[in-house]
Amino acid sequence: MEVRVMPTQPLAIARTPFAPFRSPEPSASDEIRLVGVAKSFGRDQAIYAEGDAADFVYKVISGAVRTFRVLADGRRQISDFYLPGDVFGVELDGERRSGAEAICETVLLVARRSAVAEDPAQGQRLWRHALRQLRRSQDQALTLGRRSASERVASFLLDLAQRLGSGDELELPMSRQDMADYLGLTIETVSRTVTQMQGGGLIRLAGCRRVQLTRPAALTELCE
Amino acid sequence: MEVRVMPTQPLAIARTPFAPFRSPEPSASDEIRLVGVAKSFGRDQAIYAEGDAADFVYKVISGAVRTFRVLADGRRQISDFYLPGDVFGVELDGERRSGAEAICETVLLVARRSAVAEDPAQGQRLWRHALRQLRRSQDQALTLGRRSASERVASFLLDLAQRLGSGDELELPMSRQDMADYLGLTIETVSRTVTQMQGGGLIRLAGCRRVQLTRPAALTELCE
DNA sequence: CGGGCGGTTGAGGTCAATCAATCAGAGTGG
DNA sequence: CCACTCTGATTGATTGACCTCAACCGCCCG
């Protein structure tokens, strides 16, 4: 895992463990407080790989991250995407069960796992964080197991729009391939579904990454 | 939720909150200790429904439980099955996100959520429990998103055999429909896949619920 | 201008879903 | 004990949604 120290962070903060960077919003009751250093990752750069030691936890400062598992023959399932403010990399034991990569230029706050997991003041927050992740994973299982391609794409766009908090306008940080591997589809099916939604007036595209949800209610209805 | 007090439990234990039933193995570090009463449920009986208040958590004493979500048009996705010793029903907030039903005659230990969630001595255990559930859900997402029908059935049988701890011989507590709704398939596809596995000598069936894994290594290989 | 990469579009194939019939086992009643 | 019924499981035929393979497009960048 090769990592470049982020050039835009003051160096004193980025490299001294004794005057560390602190995650914001310490007052929000569910906000996990991480104390660590900022690190910067390039597009498609690995943050950790399956099987690595799980010594650190991360918070996204800017950019976006995917976590994923791959089968022996290369089929990939993206477990989740992480956006600014999200915490990821908390594992049950000392070994990574999935890989993590930066989707685009990304800055992360990196904290020692031990400092987080052994802090009794964080116990409740870690528990609730795990339960939130679980809820998301179960939502995804419902989507993967029982929804059609257009329902999958619709629920994905709505979820992302809500998390980005940008109203009905959103900038996709990930490629069609990433979307496909999250939704259990192929890149072609995602592409066809998106153009079909555009044809139906549900969304408008300005370049393939910029999406406007013109009829969000119709999208919601698609998800039932 | 109609519930019958289990006739085989001593009545004094089943009905007095002040001399409550305690879950076994308090020494195992990951074992969540529940203090509550035993309740018995019949086949297909609801334990709770989506939208209910989440006031209790449960441990399976005997039998089996399914948790599930359903879409508006009736499509159902089973989130997980719970077997003797398993704890379920822990929610992020006060409302159930999924329903739970007994699969067969089932006895549960029922404990107040507040008594569990507010016990600081349980914090670590609850956290680890949530992470284990998360791991299972992510495994399921990989299966639902990227595996073929036969791979799904193979991984299901192996998982169940391991959890039941009965070697390569297992008694399925659930119907083909339950299996299908867990694996994101139809009942017909599950049935076909099972008979096909029998034809290939991977398993042997004695009635549709009794399965012997005659070549577990071949099943493992199927899952990659 | 040319090359490369990500995305789109098209044609045809495949695996699982759907629709439908039959079968097996358990319980019931004559 | 044997028909009868009911439910769950299996099997068969067909359909269809999505995948695969392939070509093409458009944008970015040298």
Side-chain angles (χ1 to χ4, degrees), chain A residues 172-184:
Chain A
L172 299 174
M174 72 289 289
S175 68
R176 292 286 186 269
Q177 186 64 63
D178 284 337
M179 292 173 59
D181 286 349
Y182 179 71
L183 296 173

Side-chain angles (χ1 to χ4, degrees), chain B:
Chain B
M1 182 176 83
E2 204 178 344
V3 161
R4 294 168 286 144
V5 171
M6 181 201 180
T8 59
Q9 281 294 326
L11 285 179
I13 283 177
R15 75 181 178 210
T16 64
F18 303 107
F21 191 85
R22 285 166 187 281
S23 65
E25 316 226 10
S27 60
S29 73
D30 264 5
E31 191 82 22
I32 292 176
R33 269 172 287 196
L34 297 189
V35 179
V37 299
K39 279 188 181 172
S40 163
F41 294 80
R43 195 172 89 109
D44 291 332
Q45 190 179 348
I47 298 161
Y48 53 76
E50 205 174 319
D52 280 358
D55 296 330
F56 298 95
V57 300
Y58 303 86
K59 178 180 279 194
V60 181
I61 295 174
S62 67
V65 170
R66 59 176 172 254
T67 57
F68 58 91
R69 296 184 55 189
V70 304
L71 295 173
D73 63 358
R75 283 173 289 176
R76 182 178 72 157
Q77 178 66 45
I78 290 182
S79 305
D80 214 344
F81 296 110
Y82 297 90
L83 303 174
D86 293 340
V87 169
F88 70 95
V90 183
E91 300 269 348
L92 181 57
D93 51 34
E95 188 176 318
R96 294 287 174 206
R97 298 280 294 180
S98 55
E101 292 169 356
I103 291 173
C104 50
E105 287 292 323
T106 295
V107 181
L108 301 177
L109 179 58
V110 185
R112 296 209 78 86
R113 170 196 160 88
S114 56
V116 181
E118 290 158 14
D119 178 357
Q122 301 261 55
Q124 180 90 342
R125 276 187 281 265
L126 284 169
W127 178 47
R128 293 178 61 78
H129 175 258
L131 287 175
R132 258 192 310 277
Q133 295 281 112
L134 175 60
R135 171 184 292 193
R136 283 188 62 76
S137 181
Q138 289 179 343
D139 286 350
Q140 191 192 12
L142 173 62
T143 294
L144 294 173
R146 288 298 177 216
R147 289 209 242 248
S148 70
S150 52
E151 291 167 345
R152 296 184 201 200
V153 172
S155 67
F156 175 76
L157 291 176
L158 287 169
D159 175 58
L160 209 62
Q162 193 191 352
R163 291 172 69 197
L164 288 170
S166 51
D168 56 5
E169 189 90 15
L170 65 153
E171 178 88 22
L172 300 174
M174 72 290 287
S175 68
R176 292 286 186 269
Q177 186 64 62
D178 284 336
M179 290 172 62
D181 285 351
Y182 179 72
L183 297 173
L185 300 170
T186 60
I187 181 173
E188 294 95 331
T189 300
V190 171
S191 183
R192 272 184 252 272
T193 305
V194 166
T195 48
Q196 192 175 314
M197 280 179 174
Q198 191 181 20
L202 299 185
I203 61 175
R204 190 171 303 158
L205 294 174
C208 60
R209 297 294 182 98
R210 182 137 215 93
V211 185
Q212 185 186 359
L213 312 184
T214 45
R215 292 170 52 201
L219 290 174
T220 305
E221 207 170 333
L222 251 185
C223 304
E224 274 147 310

Side-chain angles (χ1 to χ4, degrees), chain A residues 80-97:
Chain A
D80 215 344
F81 296 111
Y82 297 90
L83 304 174
D86 293 339
V87 169
F88 70 96
V90 182
E91 300 269 348
L92 181 57
D93 51 34
E95 188 175 318
R96 296 287 175 205
R97 297 280 295 181

